[in-house]
Amino acid sequence: MSRPQSLKANNSTQRALLAALATVALCGSAVAQRAPANVRLTIDLNHPGPVIAPAVEGQFAENLGRGIYDGIWVGHHSSIPNRNGYRTDVMDALKALHVPVIRWPGGCFADTYDWRDGVGPDAGRPRGINTNWGGVTDDNSFGTNEFMDYSVALGADAYVSLNLGSLPAYDARQWVQYMTAGGDSALAQERRTNGRDKPWTNLKYVGYGNELWGCGGNMTADYAASLFKRYATFVNPAPGAPDFVKIASGPNEADYAWTDTMMRGAARQMGAISLHYYTIPGPSWEHKGSATGFSKDEWATTLSKARYIDTLIAKHSAIMDKYDPGKKVALDVDEWGTWYDQAPGSHPGFLYQQNTLRDAEVAALTLDVFFRHTDRVKLATIAQMVNVLQAMVLTDGDRMLLTPTYHVFHMYVPFQGATPYPATVSGPDYVEGKHRLPMVDASVARGTDGRLYLALVNLDPDRGAHVETGLNGTASGQILSGPKMDSHNTFAAPDTIHPVAYAGQAEHGSLAFELPAKSIAVVAVDEP
Ligand code: AHR
């Protein structure tokens, strides 16, 4: 995090940088230079939408692979620098993201987890078997206190997923009491004995099971709706504790019937229903595609599939409208991101993968979609925070690197809590084989600091865009790009791809941008 973050480079520096980016891009892909496409961004400042819930930039941290153990938690006696057992480098990197919420302990793991295994003195904690993810054992040294304290240390809300699949409602109720009860109940006293006096007040979201249609118990939607209502009756915050959002286990991808049945049966008890959607470039789960070394067709397929989340949200939301026209129930996308074939040589079942400029584009496009659905999408947690799937950071022993996805999340921080404006992009499409996509995607919002922020994403791996905005003023910020579609950071070269300073230019009295091929820019506009 020591990189200079100056947003105020002068114009000649900007031009040199952009020329360099363009040249490197062209050399890397050996494509003949094409004139930049003319693109127009039209912003409707008169019709602000509902605020972008900060929680849409949330994180998912499952007890899976090296996500928790190694990634977040190394324990008090590790030679890896740590604060109270939490590795310092990862913690500092995550702090810079202003992580709004963390979901834990799963995922599929949640419906096998007994919270009692992860509280109390270390010596008394049983070794557990992670039957979903690699069959490995762990010592349960990262449990409820460790998770809740970590989220507090990061300034994040906690999202805890209950075990509906294999434990009775009584256990889930006890767990929530343990976290939220004041007074002198036995569970509050037990928590005190375990080192935490006051109840945690940041338990803002509770998930009632995970993927109940699959790893959470292979239930029918009717059964899941009934089960959700039963657990929601008994599992509530302790008296006097802040309320939390009850999140029902929602559909996989385009399972609209699941949403319909859950909403019809249980909408009145829900604060939200979840949606899971993974971007998998390959044709099947057996052939998901490689995280690096992919073709242009795979680039386009991935971006096209990432954008499909817009259709999913629109259609699930329309079903929800039937039962909840007042939009009291949120659609929370608590698992999303890219999922590739496991990295060669990595542990089967650990879901470790590299992360490239393509992932950065997926992250930016997906956040942009969430910003267009702020009426329903109030939380989204990318899978996953550290060392698993589309991660923010990767670790190897005592080494850590920031991924391109991390950089997008960092650049997008000003959108947390911002007020979005409708924005229309007109210009040529990016066409690759059977894929036709808008070449440039954009988000526009007024941040909580009063400044106007623009995010611009160029999907075309070969062609730059000249973007006119019709706005007055100056604009500066950062841009992320790289010489290759799969530019990425390695432990040997951890800073290969990172954002650099970027600015717009005044043109005939209005603001314009030179947006290089395959790039993501976020700028703040200084209006006159
Ligand atoms: O994120 C990995 C897994 O994907 C989660 O455990 C599960 O909910 C989903 O199928």
Side-chain angles (χ1 to χ4, degrees):
M1 296 315 302
S2 55
R3 182 171 315 112
Q5 300 287 315
S6 166
L7 306 182
K8 295 235 179 311
N10 62 34
N11 276 346
S12 57
T13 312
Q14 295 304 320
R15 277 194 295 274
L17 259 170
L18 292 175
L21 277 173
T23 311
V24 177
L26 289 169
C27 294
S29 55
V31 170
Q33 186 149 16
R34 291 166 71 193
N38 285 320
V39 170
R40 176 88 191 171
L41 174 65
T42 309
I43 305 161
D44 182 357
L45 293 171
N46 295 318
H47 293 94
V51 161
I52 298 167
V56 301
E57 294 187 13
Q59 301 287 333
F60 174 32
E62 179 166 10
N63 185 14
L64 191 178
R66 297 188 303 110
I68 301 290
Y69 297 101
D70 274 10
I72 292 174
W73 177 255
V74 288
H76 303 277
H77 309 297
S78 174
S79 59
I80 296 174
N82 66 86
R83 290 188 204 107
N84 296 324
Y86 308 115
R87 58 185 296 163
T88 313
D89 51 0
V90 172
M91 202 167 180
D92 288 345
L94 294 175
K95 274 188 182 162
L97 293 185
H98 298 268
V99 175
V101 57
I102 309 173
R103 177 177 184 242
W104 173 85
C108 294
F109 180 76
D111 286 284
T112 62
Y113 184 58
D114 184 347
W115 71 276
R116 282 237 156 254
D117 293 344
V119 292
D122 281 354
R125 297 191 190 184
R127 289 184 75 75
I129 306 174
N130 198 328
T131 48
N132 281 295
W133 305 116
V136 294
T137 54
D138 71 62
D139 61 7
N140 271 305
S141 56
F142 190 92
T144 301
N145 289 56
E146 289 74 24
F147 170 68
M148 295 303 287
D149 287 349
Y150 194 60
S151 53
V152 170
L154 289 184
D157 287 324
Y159 173 175
V160 167
S161 287
L162 305 174
N163 180 344
L164 259 65
S166 63
L167 280 180
Y170 179 79
D171 297 272
R173 180 182 163 82
Q174 296 283 97
W175 192 10
V176 167
Q177 299 284 317
Y178 177 86
M179 291 184 276
T180 61
D184 63 355
S185 68
L187 286 160
Q189 296 294 16
E190 183 180 351
R191 187 193 60 239
R192 283 188 196 107
T193 306
N194 292 339
R196 173 76 189 191
D197 181 17
K198 297 263 184 307
W200 290 280
T201 53
N202 66 329
L203 181 63
K204 192 160 173 197
Y205 306 93
V206 171
Y208 288 69
N210 171 76
E211 299 194 348
L212 294 182
W213 40 263
C215 66
N218 288 305
M219 302 171 194
T220 64
D222 271 319
Y223 182 73
S226 299
L227 196 69
F228 167 75
K229 282 192 290 189
R230 187 154 70 76
Y231 277 66
T233 304
F234 297 114
V235 185
N236 291 293
D243 210 358
F244 51 66
V245 179
K246 294 179 179 173
I247 305 182
S249 173
N252 186 37
E253 303 186 357
D255 188 351
Y256 301 115
W258 183 278
T259 302
D260 198 292
T261 304
M262 290 291 287
M263 287 298 292
R264 188 174 58 242
R268 274 195 295 130
Q269 282 83 5
M270 283 177 203
I273 185 167
S274 67
L275 167 65
H276 288 184
Y277 176 63
Y278 286 97
T279 298
I280 295 161
S284 67
W285 282 94
E286 289 68 43
H287 302 283
K288 294 184 279 298
S290 171
T292 56
F294 45 82
S295 65
K296 273 194 191 155
D297 180 69
E298 287 169 288
W299 165 278
T301 306
T302 308
L303 301 192
S304 174
K305 286 188 167 180
R307 284 179 56 92
Y308 175 57
I309 200 167
D310 188 50
T311 304
L312 290 173
I313 292 171
K315 289 192 172 174
H316 285 292
S317 195
I319 292 165
M320 294 172 74
D321 286 347
K322 282 200 291 179
Y323 305 100
D324 174 39
K327 297 186 192 292
K328 292 193 184 121
V329 180
L331 180 63
D332 289 347
V333 189
D334 59 15
E335 287 185 31
W336 68 273
T338 53
W339 193 328
Y340 307 118
D341 295 333
Q342 74 178 54
S346 66
H347 190 298
F350 276 19
L351 312 188
Y352 179 84
Q353 63 189 38
Q354 247 301 353
N355 192 301
T356 71
L357 181 55
R358 176 176 62 166
D359 297 270
E361 293 252 339
V362 169
L365 292 173
T366 306
L367 291 174
D368 286 352
V369 169
F370 297 154
F371 300 167
R372 291 196 270 274
H373 290 280
T374 51
D375 59 336
R376 275 286 182 205
V377 180
K378 306 291 183 187
L379 172 146
T381 47
I382 186 171
Q384 299 193 6
M385 191 158 74
V386 184
N387 286 335
V388 176
L389 298 176
Q390 192 177 349
M392 303 296 117
V393 302
L394 302 176
T395 67
D396 177 26
D398 64 356
R399 298 185 295 177
M400 182 199 76
L401 63 80
L402 306 179
T403 66
T405 298
Y406 175 96
H407 291 305
V408 168
F409 270 71
H410 194 223
M411 290 160 68
Y412 271 62
V413 166
F415 287 96
Q416 292 186 17
T419 302
Y421 296 108
T424 315
V425 179
S426 45
D429 286 336
Y430 155 50
V431 182
E432 175 67 43
K434 64 180 191 310
H435 301 288
R436 174 178 288 277
L437 298 161
M439 179 181 170
V440 172
D441 194 70
S443 282
V444 183
R446 190 163 302 281
T448 52
D449 58 1
R451 300 176 85 189
L452 194 67
Y453 287 91
L454 308 188
L456 299 170
V457 186
N458 185 349
L459 286 71
D460 194 317
D462 298 321
R463 190 178 189 193
H466 176 78
V467 184
E468 294 173 5
T469 68
L471 292 168
N472 291 319
T474 57
S476 60
Q478 291 188 308
I479 189 164
L480 183 72
S481 187
K484 298 195 285 184
M485 293 182 294
D486 70 346
S487 290
H488 59 276
N489 293 327
T490 63
F491 294 104
D495 220 16
T496 304
I497 166 167
H498 59 81
V500 297
Y502 178 71
Q505 72 255 3
E507 199 177 78
H508 315 302
S510 82
L511 195 53
F513 297 91
E514 294 303 333
L515 193 63
K518 52 179 173 343
S519 67
I520 300 132
V522 174
V523 294
V525 179
D526 286 311
E527 297 155 291

